[in-house]
Amino acid sequence: MSAKNIICFGEILWDLFPTGKMLGGAPFNVANTLFSLGGKVSFISRVGKDELGNAILTQVENQGLSSAFIQQDHLHETGKVFVTLDEGGSAQYEMAEDAAWDFIEANAVAIKTVRDAEAFVFGSLAARAASKKALQSFLKVSKFSVFDLNLRPPFYDMETLNELMQAADMLKFNDDELYDIATQMGSPFNSLNQHMEFIAKKTKTQIICVTLGMHGAVLLHFGTWYFNSGYKIKVVDTVGAGDSFLATLVLGLVEGDDIQSTLNNACGMGALVAASQGANPTITKSDLKIFVHPD
């Protein structure tokens, strides 16, 4: 197991599908994948002191993850998202507001844990309400901050995104998000690669990754480009695929693995999750190796 702790911060909630509920939230999905790959993970979030919150704590612990940094809230309910899928398995989300995870607090123990960690992973949703104050505290002490933009209208604005991009050491977009943000930032270019270089310069960020759905991903890492063209799978649903991709990528970067191999593994993990139901199927390091390197 890796001795290098990675912190994930933000929402944990129930994804409510027509067929039932499944545990999710982008930062939790990242933490769960990191754990399944043998990473050392701490997860900072907040749930309501209610039936759904108790169910989350039980399931997290049953999966082997620590719930030590999952706070309980007496005033706000546990988060939930209503998920619908189109014919191709792509997800649409309707997210409850004023959820417990909107009110995460930064206590002294959590701040020290972030300071000591090798990486701190967060998304834009955690900045939509009071949790933004805790996020800002953590970003001040983090040594390697990874920002997954994970845009969910209407829960973001460019002023906040710019602030968080400036604070991050690594940015992760999907292709739609990249084109949207580059346009709003005034990029004069048309191509994906040029937009990535433009954002890297504007935000002084040395690592930017863009996922391309079935077509893989592009990574700009300290001026060097890396590409993966994707893996053919039958999509069941896309929920959590980008999160599992990011977890695999961050773990490889933190552990100093070969960057091209790390990107290949990340794309493979994203494909395996998209070929499964829900955000957190059980996929081991061995499963991933067989899929990416079948020979």
Side-chain angles (χ1 to χ4, degrees), residues 50-91:
D50 50 30
E51 185 177 343
L52 287 177
N54 291 337
I56 282 179
L57 294 175
T58 298
Q59 185 163 330
V60 166
E61 290 165 2
N62 287 344
Q63 290 178 210
L65 279 163
S66 171
S67 62
F69 291 101
I70 301 179
Q71 305 161 12
Q72 287 189 286
D73 192 312
H74 293 264
L75 298 177
H76 303 95
E77 295 182 352
T78 297
K80 48 188 177 288
V81 176
F82 298 92
V83 185
T84 55
L85 304 173
D86 65 19
E87 292 181 358
S90 292

Side-chain angles (χ1 to χ4, degrees), residues 155-169:
F155 302 119
Y156 67 91
D157 60 81
M158 277 307 302
E159 182 179 354
T160 298
L161 293 180
N162 271 314
E163 175 191 336
L164 296 176
M165 286 190 288
Q166 294 288 343
D169 301 293

Side-chain angles (χ1 to χ4, degrees), residues 9 19 90 137 152 159 165 211 222 237 264 281:
F9 169 86
T19 54
S90 292
S137 296
R152 295 283 181 266
E159 182 179 354
M165 286 190 288
T211 57
F222 288 90
D237 71 60
N264 296 343

Side-chain angles (χ1 to χ4, degrees), residues 2-7 40 113-121 142-146 169 250-251 253-255:
S2 169
K4 297 177 179 178
N5 196 23
I6 298 174
I7 311 296
K40 183 180 179 185
T113 301
V114 172
R115 180 185 287 114
D116 294 342
E118 293 302 312
F120 175 71
V121 183
S142 167
K143 66 180 70 168
F144 179 58
S145 299
V146 180
D169 301 293
V250 170
L251 185 62
L253 293 177
V254 164
E255 295 193 333

Side-chain angles (χ1 to χ4, degrees), residues 34-245:
L34 284 165
F35 182 76
S36 72
L37 292 175
K40 183 180 179 185
V41 188
S42 297
F43 178 61
I44 302 174
S45 190
R46 193 174 180 97
V47 298
K49 199 164 182 61
D50 50 30
E51 185 177 343
L52 287 177
N54 291 337
I56 282 179
L57 294 175
T58 298
Q59 185 163 330
V60 166
E61 290 165 2
N62 287 344
Q63 290 178 210
L65 279 163
S66 171
S67 62
F69 291 101
I70 301 179
Q71 305 161 12
Q72 287 189 286
D73 192 312
H74 293 264
L75 298 177
H76 303 95
E77 295 182 352
T78 297
K80 48 188 177 288
V81 176
F82 298 92
V83 185
T84 55
L85 304 173
D86 65 19
E87 292 181 358
S90 292
Q92 299 294 321
Y93 306 91
E94 182 184 341
M95 188 167 296
E97 297 188 54
D98 288 328
W101 59 263
D102 283 313
F103 299 91
I104 303 169
E105 298 173 355
N107 57 46
V109 176
I111 288 173
K112 182 181 186 306
T113 301
V114 172
R115 180 185 287 114
D116 294 342
E118 293 302 312
F120 175 71
V121 183
F122 68 98
S124 50
L125 268 175
R128 75 176 185 174
S131 293
K132 182 180 178 182
K133 184 176 179 181
L135 174 57
Q136 290 169 326
S137 296
F138 293 136
L139 287 171
K140 288 177 182 176
V141 300
S142 167
K143 66 180 70 168
F144 179 58
S145 299
V146 180
F147 182 19
D148 178 8
L149 277 83
N150 197 24
L151 303 182
R152 295 283 181 266
F155 302 119
Y156 67 91
D157 60 81
M158 277 307 302
E159 182 179 354
T160 298
L161 293 180
N162 271 314
E163 175 191 336
L164 296 176
M165 286 190 288
Q166 294 288 343
D169 301 293
M170 172 178 167
L171 305 176
K172 182 258 183 186
F173 305 81
N174 65 32
D175 49 349
D176 289 336
E177 291 165 343
L178 178 83
Y179 282 107
D180 180 16
I181 297 304
T183 298
Q184 292 196 60
M185 290 178 69
S187 173
F189 304 109
N190 293 313
S191 76
L192 181 140
N193 290 26
Q194 288 174 310
H195 282 325
M196 290 173 68
E197 290 177 328
F198 174 83
I199 292 174
K201 184 176 181 180
K202 278 282 189 179
T203 62
K204 300 180 176 62
T205 307
Q206 298 284 358
I207 307 174
I208 296 183
C209 188
V210 179
T211 57
L212 308 173
M214 64 182 292
H215 300 297
V218 180
L219 173 65
L220 177 59
H221 185 275
F222 288 90
T224 300
W225 292 94
Y226 300 87
F227 304 90
N228 178 285
S229 60
Y231 299 93
K232 290 186 177 181
I233 49 95
K234 182 178 180 181
V235 174
V236 174
D237 71 60
T238 61
V239 180
D243 306 325
S244 62
F245 167 94

